[in-house]
Amino acid sequence: MASAVIKRLSDAALRGEASRTGAEFARFISRISPHEAEGAIIGAYLACAVIDDSHTCLVLKDDNVAMAAEATGVAGLDTASVIEGVHSSRVVGRPGETRPLILEDERLYLHRYWSYERSAARRLLELSNSLLEPCDMQAAIRAVQRLFPPGPAVPDWQKIAAFNVLFRRLVVITGGPGTGKTRTAAALMALLLASEPERELSFAMCAPTGKAAARLTESAATAGRCLALDETIRQRMPERAQTVHRLLGAGREPGRFQFNRENPLPHDVVILDEASMIDLPMMVHLTDALRRDARLVLMGDKDQLASVEAGSVMRDLCSGAKLFPYSEEFSRRAALIGEDVRSGHGGAVNGLRDCIIALDHSYRFRPGSGIDELASAVNCGDFSQVKNILNDPGLKRARFISARREDLFSFLEREALPWARSLAVSSSLGEAMEGMDGLRILCGTKRGPGGVESVNRFMRDAVEHYEKAPGRTIFKGVPVIINRNNYMMELFNGDTGIAWPDESGRLKIWFSFGKTEMRSFSPLGLPSFDHAWAITVHRSQGSEFKKVVFILPSGKTAMPGRELLYTAVTRAREEITIWGTWEDLRACVENRTRRDSGLSMRLWGNS
């Protein structure tokens, strides 16, 4: 019985219709437990396969099992037999047992992911329940008032978040683009230094990708220059951010790091930017590597797309915040710095609520631009409001182009080719580099019609013909994006550069390093890279462009979801153009990206 289902899974995996890792795991289960029922084998396959779709577990309910089976290539299952087979399986254990699979409540995990989830929850709750007191409260109050003069935001959540770090080992700062997350991070570092002038505090700033780390370095430096800081404090502020992998000391063996529970990081404060992009295993590695007395500051937009890999840590961490009020102690501390925050009776839940602060005042988008209004409507899942905004002739910076799929390339020729051609005819390298961020085409998928590969292929052929460079894939003005980190070259996954001749006329790929420095590399010596007229929405996270053209994925794909659309919309500084059908737009707005996980329940209880 087991052999038949293993053959079915293996054949489907070879055809690319099912998960290869899931099929191999099912084969392993049948080998160590030859008498398992077919339902148990399928359950083991699904528990592994759903990780490819970024879930951390399989929820054993009929609808969930059916959806997981369809998504992983084995549709048409008898879901009742799968659930029954899992419950009676010898390889499925309960929490605390050492079995390949763990069943907790109705959630079926690979043992490793059950352990990851439990470890992340335990460590985050330990941090949230660890309370501190500043050495000199009056000095801290004076410092925070100097750092945050009166502004338009009431209450001033940036000010409250910075002050909160004096009392908490865990601070979570969430907010949309332009709400001042990086400025808050710079201010809280300055505040810690001002409140403990005799202590040699060590800070580490990090982000999930090299591009995000470079951006954090620049934005933190800019924010620091804008703050009213004493020169002694300014000199003690950290200068560079790094990737989480580099911070932890990643080696050649995946999942092995120099810094861990036995050999913790030396830093007093670790600040992680773009926390929505971090997956569950990496969050475990990071929290395990913290010293017991260290602080952790997580910054990110909980409404953005979650990590590519399994888990949605930032979203789960913030999921219960609106269900509980701040504690009376939190309210009292806010009052010390002149801010009015309502509290509720009964206090916070395990201290976690008092750790989470949402910044809600946007300093980037002007009211009436259409972009901020559109992002808010998408976040609320209000399709009628989204449609009204896009149909409002007064909001010219947010446009919707309704068209048939076969008209995509005609649209791109009209809307994007002039930008692409302008890069190739720029008067200088500096002008071309600056022009790269003038527009970007964002796609919901990598492959298929309207995906990154087909759009970039069209753009390359069109610009190549215009530039009379037949048969060449790299020529003057071609933007590229790096696919793999190379620490020796200081090039990281997501870095973008442009092809441009050097002084001798040889074509090189140029990248910005900081505000003023540019370096060139031979195309043949670069890590793996792709063309970057178009990139996926996932790869655009944390970036911003003057104008964005978003190609809606078909509503029939697995990708549509409001997080995808929200992330695409909020990459635009001045103008967003959405292309597709109203039906596809509705699918994006009304569908919520689902990530099955037990982390939220572990952090917040059954709320």
Side-chain angles (χ1 to χ4, degrees):
M1 185 181 297
S3 59
V5 72
I6 290 297
K7 185 177 188 311
R8 176 188 171 189
L9 292 173
S10 298
D11 290 347
L14 286 174
R15 295 193 301 269
E17 298 170 357
S19 164
R20 291 197 174 200
T21 53
E24 285 301 315
F25 183 68
R27 185 185 300 277
F28 165 74
I29 292 299
S30 69
R31 197 161 58 241
I32 65 171
S33 185
H35 303 294
E36 292 290 340
E38 179 177 317
I41 298 295
I42 292 289
Y45 163 80
L46 292 176
C48 184
V50 294
I51 293 170
D52 294 340
D53 286 334
S54 305
H55 305 286
T56 61
C57 60
L58 172 69
V59 178
L60 288 180
K61 294 181 179 178
D62 286 337
D63 290 346
N64 290 72
V65 172
M67 283 190 293
E70 184 174 357
T72 56
V74 288
L77 296 178
D78 178 3
T79 58
S81 70
V82 172
I83 295 170
E84 181 182 346
V86 167
H87 278 281
S88 60
S89 172
R90 288 181 287 273
V91 296
V92 176
R94 296 301 183 267
E97 296 182 347
T98 305
R99 303 284 178 87
L101 294 152
I102 298 295
L103 182 62
E104 184 171 7
D105 297 329
E106 295 179 312
R107 301 184 305 277
L108 181 65
Y109 296 86
L110 298 189
H111 189 282
R112 180 164 50 129
Y113 278 85
W114 173 80
S115 179
Y116 280 148
E117 198 173 272
R118 186 185 60 163
S119 295
R122 184 185 67 248
R123 191 71 180 102
L124 289 167
L125 288 173
E126 284 175 359
L127 287 165
S128 70
N129 285 310
S130 181
L131 304 180
L132 304 164
E133 286 292 338
C135 298
D136 188 337
M137 178 70 82
Q138 292 308 311
I141 292 172
R142 288 193 299 271
V144 80
Q145 299 292 15
R146 186 172 64 253
L147 289 166
F148 292 95
V154 179
D156 189 340
W157 287 109
Q158 288 188 34
K159 182 179 179 182
I160 295 166
F163 195 57
N164 201 34
V165 81
L166 299 177
F167 306 96
R168 293 279 172 185
R169 293 206 188 280
L170 175 67
V171 173
V172 181
I173 303 170
T174 182
T179 53
K181 295 185 291 294
T182 307
R183 180 180 184 273
T184 306
L188 67 82
M189 286 189 286
L191 183 58
L192 284 168
L193 290 168
S195 65
E196 299 188 52
E198 304 302 321
R199 187 179 173 194
E200 288 294 326
L201 286 172
S202 171
F203 296 93
M205 299 190 301
C206 63
T209 66
K211 183 176 182 180
R215 211 166 37 248
L216 177 59
T217 298
E218 293 178 13
S219 54
T222 301
R225 287 192 294 268
C226 296
L227 294 171
L229 301 179
D230 293 337
E231 190 58 32
T232 54
I233 289 179
R234 194 182 301 279
Q235 291 176 357
R236 295 169 64 193
M237 297 276 281
E239 294 182 354
R240 292 183 65 85
Q242 56 192 312
T243 64
V244 182
H245 281 80
R246 173 168 273 187
L247 173 69
L248 294 178
R252 294 186 177 182
E253 190 175 347
R256 293 281 189 176
F257 299 96
Q258 175 188 351
F259 295 103
N260 48 51
R261 193 178 305 172
E262 287 72 38
N263 181 36
L265 291 162
H267 309 290
D268 300 292
V269 183
V270 174
I271 297 173
L272 170 67
D273 194 18
E274 298 294 347
S276 62
M277 297 170 66
I278 197 165
D279 57 62
L280 177 64
M282 187 53 64
M283 181 60 80
V284 171
H285 293 309
L286 178 61
T287 53
D288 273 355
L290 292 175
R291 278 197 340 231
R292 296 297 105 177
D293 60 344
R295 288 174 167 93
L296 176 64
V297 178
L298 303 177
M299 304 190 301
D301 187 344
K302 65 179 176 58
D303 297 314
Q304 274 191 188
L305 283 167
S307 59
V308 175
E309 306 299 331
S312 52
V313 177
M314 187 69 169
R315 193 183 305 166
D316 290 342
L317 192 49
C318 297
S319 62
K322 287 187 176 180
L323 302 176
F324 299 96
Y326 284 115
S327 70
E328 293 180 11
E329 182 63 19
F330 184 95
S331 179
R332 185 187 67 79
R333 286 172 177 159
L336 292 175
I337 54 173
E339 300 298 327
D340 184 13
V341 176
R342 292 184 179 181
S343 64
H345 299 293
V349 178
N350 293 325
L352 185 57
R353 177 64 185 102
D354 284 2
C355 299
I356 300 170
I357 291 175
L359 308 182
D360 56 9
H361 183 85
S362 177
Y363 297 86
R364 179 185 299 178
F365 301 120
R366 297 191 305 271
S369 69
I371 298 176
D372 199 26
E373 293 87 345
L374 180 60
S376 297
V378 169
N379 240 344
C380 294
D382 189 341
F383 177 68
S384 62
Q385 182 63 11
V386 168
K387 196 169 184 178
N388 288 339
I389 291 168
L390 292 171
N391 283 330
D392 186 342
L395 300 176
K396 296 181 180 179
R397 297 184 183 276
R399 301 188 300 153
F400 182 74
I401 308 296
S402 178
R404 300 173 303 170
R405 288 272 150 194
E406 53 265 35
D407 295 331
L408 173 60
F409 295 147
S410 298
F411 163 76
L412 290 174
E413 188 170 10
R414 185 173 65 253
E415 293 286 335
L417 266 184
W419 159 72
R421 289 169 177 170
S422 73
L423 298 180
V425 298
S426 297
S427 61
S428 66
L429 171 61
E431 182 181 306
M433 293 287 283
E434 185 176 346
M436 269 205 306
D437 286 343
L439 185 145
R440 195 58 50 95
I441 305 165
L442 302 184
C443 305
T445 58
K446 186 174 182 180
R447 298 180 177 85
V452 163
E453 291 179 350
S454 63
V455 170
N456 274 329
R457 193 179 306 117
F458 166 77
M459 296 293 288
R460 182 199 67 200
D461 292 345
V463 180
E464 175 193 62
H465 174 74
Y466 181 79
E467 287 299 301
K468 297 181 175 58
R472 296 176 61 187
T473 59
I474 296 294
F475 46 89
K476 184 180 176 183
V478 174
V480 303
I481 186 166
I482 296 296
N483 295 329
R484 190 176 299 120
N485 293 341
N486 186 309
Y487 290 100
M488 294 292 291
M489 301 172 79
E490 294 189 87
L491 292 174
F492 304 102
N493 181 16
D495 283 350
T496 52
I498 195 164
W500 200 264
D502 62 13
E503 293 178 353
S504 64
R506 290 176 298 184
L507 197 66
K508 297 289 186 68
I509 309 294
W510 296 78
F511 295 85
S512 291
F513 286 77
K515 288 287 187 183
T516 57
E517 184 185 0
M518 286 189 285
R519 300 180 197 167
S520 65
F521 302 87
S522 165
L524 296 176
L526 283 178
S528 168
F529 66 89
D530 290 321
H531 294 130
W533 291 288
I535 59 176
T536 62
V537 178
H538 263 109
R539 301 196 79 179
S540 76
Q541 284 182 271
S543 300
E544 58 177 67
F545 311 98
K546 185 177 179 181
K547 297 180 180 180
V548 165
V549 172
F550 177 45
I551 310 301
L552 280 167
S554 168
K556 297 177 182 179
T557 72
M559 283 301 297
R562 73 183 65 156
E563 295 85 358
L564 184 81
L565 180 57
Y566 170 83
T567 304
V569 168
T570 53
R571 298 312 92 203
R573 286 197 307 270
E574 296 185 10
E575 184 178 307
I576 174 70
T577 299
I578 302 171
W579 183 94
T581 69
W582 286 109
E583 291 75 17
D584 292 340
L585 182 63
R586 180 189 289 273
C588 261
V589 173
E590 294 185 348
N591 293 338
R592 184 128 212 182
T593 305
R594 185 176 60 87
R595 290 275 175 101
D596 288 336
S597 159
L599 183 59
S600 177
M601 186 277 297
R602 295 179 196 277
L603 293 170
W604 295 99
N606 292 318
S607 56

PDB file of all heavy atoms in Angstrom, residues 55 67 92 106 180 221 274 355 378 380 387 510 515 556 597:
ATOM      1  N   HIS A  55       4.642  27.617   4.930  1.00  0.00           N
ATOM      2  CA  HIS A  55       3.960  27.266   6.173  1.00  0.00           C
ATOM      3  C   HIS A  55       4.952  26.540   7.084  1.00  0.00           C
ATOM      4  O   HIS A  55       5.899  25.914   6.611  1.00  0.00           O
ATOM      5  CB  HIS A  55       2.763  26.355   5.905  1.00  0.00           C
ATOM      6  CG  HIS A  55       1.782  26.911   4.919  1.00  0.00           C
ATOM      7  ND1 HIS A  55       0.922  27.929   5.220  1.00  0.00           N
ATOM      8  CD2 HIS A  55       1.528  26.575   3.629  1.00  0.00           C
ATOM      9  CE1 HIS A  55       0.177  28.209   4.163  1.00  0.00           C
ATOM     10  NE2 HIS A  55       0.529  27.406   3.181  1.00  0.00           N
ATOM     11  N   MET A  67      -6.539  21.964   0.543  1.00  0.00           N
ATOM     12  CA  MET A  67      -5.804  23.073  -0.081  1.00  0.00           C
ATOM     13  C   MET A  67      -4.318  22.760  -0.173  1.00  0.00           C
ATOM     14  O   MET A  67      -3.673  23.051  -1.181  1.00  0.00           O
ATOM     15  CB  MET A  67      -6.026  24.367   0.700  1.00  0.00           C
ATOM     16  CG  MET A  67      -7.382  25.009   0.452  1.00  0.00           C
ATOM     17  SD  MET A  67      -7.488  26.679   1.151  1.00  0.00           S
ATOM     18  CE  MET A  67      -7.411  26.323   2.904  1.00  0.00           C
ATOM     19  N   VAL A  92       4.400   9.616  14.343  1.00  0.00           N
ATOM     20  CA  VAL A  92       3.885  10.917  14.791  1.00  0.00           C
ATOM     21  C   VAL A  92       3.850  10.927  16.313  1.00  0.00           C
ATOM     22  O   VAL A  92       3.200  10.086  16.932  1.00  0.00           O
ATOM     23  CB  VAL A  92       2.478  11.194  14.219  1.00  0.00           C
ATOM     24  CG1 VAL A  92       1.929  12.508  14.773  1.00  0.00           C
ATOM     25  CG2 VAL A  92       2.520  11.236  12.695  1.00  0.00           C
ATOM     26  N   GLU A 106      -4.126  20.600  16.467  1.00  0.00           N
ATOM     27  CA  GLU A 106      -4.434  20.096  15.119  1.00  0.00           C
ATOM     28  C   GLU A 106      -3.314  20.419  14.131  1.00  0.00           C
ATOM     29  O   GLU A 106      -3.511  20.363  12.917  1.00  0.00           O
ATOM     30  CB  GLU A 106      -5.747  20.715  14.625  1.00  0.00           C
ATOM     31  CG  GLU A 106      -6.965  20.285  15.439  1.00  0.00           C
ATOM     32  CD  GLU A 106      -8.231  20.940  14.917  1.00  0.00           C
ATOM     33  OE1 GLU A 106      -8.212  22.165  14.707  1.00  0.00           O
ATOM     34  OE2 GLU A 106      -9.214  20.221  14.713  1.00  0.00           O
ATOM     35  N   GLY A 180       9.155  56.561   9.815  1.00  0.00           N
ATOM     36  CA  GLY A 180      10.279  56.941  10.668  1.00  0.00           C
ATOM     37  C   GLY A 180      10.872  55.828  11.505  1.00  0.00           C
ATOM     38  O   GLY A 180      11.416  56.092  12.577  1.00  0.00           O
ATOM     39  N   ALA A 221      22.698  56.629   9.111  1.00  0.00           N
ATOM     40  CA  ALA A 221      23.637  57.748   9.125  1.00  0.00           C
ATOM     41  C   ALA A 221      22.913  59.063   8.849  1.00  0.00           C
ATOM     42  O   ALA A 221      23.166  60.086   9.509  1.00  0.00           O
ATOM     43  CB  ALA A 221      24.732  57.522   8.086  1.00  0.00           C
ATOM     44  N   GLU A 274      13.906  45.457   8.569  1.00  0.00           N
ATOM     45  CA  GLU A 274      13.178  44.611   7.618  1.00  0.00           C
ATOM     46  C   GLU A 274      12.871  43.245   8.238  1.00  0.00           C
ATOM     47  O   GLU A 274      13.042  42.191   7.620  1.00  0.00           O
ATOM     48  CB  GLU A 274      13.972  44.440   6.312  1.00  0.00           C
ATOM     49  CG  GLU A 274      14.229  45.730   5.565  1.00  0.00           C
ATOM     50  CD  GLU A 274      12.969  46.393   5.019  1.00  0.00           C
ATOM     51  OE1 GLU A 274      11.914  45.734   4.995  1.00  0.00           O
ATOM     52  OE2 GLU A 274      13.031  47.569   4.637  1.00  0.00           O
ATOM     53  N   CYS A 355       5.725  45.747  24.486  1.00  0.00           N
ATOM     54  CA  CYS A 355       6.938  45.773  23.661  1.00  0.00           C
ATOM     55  C   CYS A 355       6.665  46.235  22.236  1.00  0.00           C
ATOM     56  O   CYS A 355       7.602  46.563  21.497  1.00  0.00           O
ATOM     57  CB  CYS A 355       7.570  44.378  23.591  1.00  0.00           C
ATOM     58  SG  CYS A 355       8.086  43.721  25.182  1.00  0.00           S
ATOM     59  N   VAL A 378      -6.033  48.963   0.517  1.00  0.00           N
ATOM     60  CA  VAL A 378      -5.601  47.591   0.243  1.00  0.00           C
ATOM     61  C   VAL A 378      -5.426  46.837   1.549  1.00  0.00           C
ATOM     62  O   VAL A 378      -5.855  45.686   1.691  1.00  0.00           O
ATOM     63  CB  VAL A 378      -4.283  47.602  -0.571  1.00  0.00           C
ATOM     64  CG1 VAL A 378      -3.682  46.188  -0.633  1.00  0.00           C
ATOM     65  CG2 VAL A 378      -4.524  48.130  -1.969  1.00  0.00           C
ATOM     66  N   CYS A 380      -6.902  47.222   4.296  1.00  0.00           N
ATOM     67  CA  CYS A 380      -8.204  46.924   4.907  1.00  0.00           C
ATOM     68  C   CYS A 380      -8.988  45.895   4.102  1.00  0.00           C
ATOM     69  O   CYS A 380     -10.061  45.458   4.531  1.00  0.00           O
ATOM     70  CB  CYS A 380      -9.024  48.204   5.033  1.00  0.00           C
ATOM     71  SG  CYS A 380      -8.326  49.411   6.186  1.00  0.00           S
ATOM     72  N   LYS A 387     -11.122  50.647  -5.692  1.00  0.00           N
ATOM     73  CA  LYS A 387     -11.628  50.997  -7.027  1.00  0.00           C
ATOM     74  C   LYS A 387     -11.955  52.479  -7.116  1.00  0.00           C
ATOM     75  O   LYS A 387     -11.653  53.139  -8.123  1.00  0.00           O
ATOM     76  CB  LYS A 387     -12.864  50.148  -7.335  1.00  0.00           C
ATOM     77  CG  LYS A 387     -13.253  50.122  -8.805  1.00  0.00           C
ATOM     78  CD  LYS A 387     -14.313  49.068  -9.066  1.00  0.00           C
ATOM     79  CE  LYS A 387     -14.612  48.995 -10.564  1.00  0.00           C
ATOM     80  NZ  LYS A 387     -15.619  47.942 -10.858  1.00  0.00           N
ATOM     81  N   TRP A 510      28.557  48.343 -12.841  1.00  0.00           N
ATOM     82  CA  TRP A 510      28.876  49.311 -11.795  1.00  0.00           C
ATOM     83  C   TRP A 510      27.843  49.261 -10.684  1.00  0.00           C
ATOM     84  O   TRP A 510      26.641  49.166 -10.938  1.00  0.00           O
ATOM     85  CB  TRP A 510      28.919  50.724 -12.377  1.00  0.00           C
ATOM     86  CG  TRP A 510      30.000  50.924 -13.399  1.00  0.00           C
ATOM     87  CD1 TRP A 510      29.982  50.528 -14.710  1.00  0.00           C
ATOM     88  CD2 TRP A 510      31.271  51.552 -13.197  1.00  0.00           C
ATOM     89  NE1 TRP A 510      31.149  50.861 -15.340  1.00  0.00           N
ATOM     90  CE2 TRP A 510      31.961  51.502 -14.431  1.00  0.00           C
ATOM     91  CE3 TRP A 510      31.885  52.151 -12.103  1.00  0.00           C
ATOM     92  CZ2 TRP A 510      33.237  52.025 -14.591  1.00  0.00           C
ATOM     93  CZ3 TRP A 510      33.157  52.681 -12.254  1.00  0.00           C
ATOM     94  CH2 TRP A 510      33.818  52.617 -13.483  1.00  0.00           C
ATOM     95  N   LYS A 515      27.127  56.712  -0.557  1.00  0.00           N
ATOM     96  CA  LYS A 515      26.570  57.838  -1.288  1.00  0.00           C
ATOM     97  C   LYS A 515      27.432  58.259  -2.475  1.00  0.00           C
ATOM     98  O   LYS A 515      26.928  58.741  -3.486  1.00  0.00           O
ATOM     99  CB  LYS A 515      26.394  59.039  -0.349  1.00  0.00           C
ATOM    100  CG  LYS A 515      25.262  58.886   0.661  1.00  0.00           C
ATOM    101  CD  LYS A 515      23.922  59.009  -0.020  1.00  0.00           C
ATOM    102  CE  LYS A 515      22.775  59.019   0.989  1.00  0.00           C
ATOM    103  NZ  LYS A 515      21.459  59.069   0.328  1.00  0.00           N
ATOM    104  N   LYS A 556      -5.772  33.388 -10.904  1.00  0.00           N
ATOM    105  CA  LYS A 556      -5.773  31.927 -10.866  1.00  0.00           C
ATOM    106  C   LYS A 556      -4.467  31.364 -10.297  1.00  0.00           C
ATOM    107  O   LYS A 556      -4.358  30.159 -10.068  1.00  0.00           O
ATOM    108  CB  LYS A 556      -5.987  31.372 -12.283  1.00  0.00           C
ATOM    109  CG  LYS A 556      -7.342  31.753 -12.870  1.00  0.00           C
ATOM    110  CD  LYS A 556      -7.474  31.243 -14.292  1.00  0.00           C
ATOM    111  CE  LYS A 556      -8.817  31.665 -14.901  1.00  0.00           C
ATOM    112  NZ  LYS A 556      -8.955  31.206 -16.306  1.00  0.00           N
ATOM    113  N   SER A 597       0.784  28.479  11.002  1.00  0.00           N
ATOM    114  CA  SER A 597       1.830  28.564  12.011  1.00  0.00           C
ATOM    115  C   SER A 597       1.165  28.512  13.372  1.00  0.00           C
ATOM    116  O   SER A 597       0.016  28.906  13.531  1.00  0.00           O
ATOM    117  CB  SER A 597       2.595  29.886  11.831  1.00  0.00           C
ATOM    118  OG  SER A 597       3.277  30.250  13.005  1.00  0.00           O
TER     119      SER A 597
END
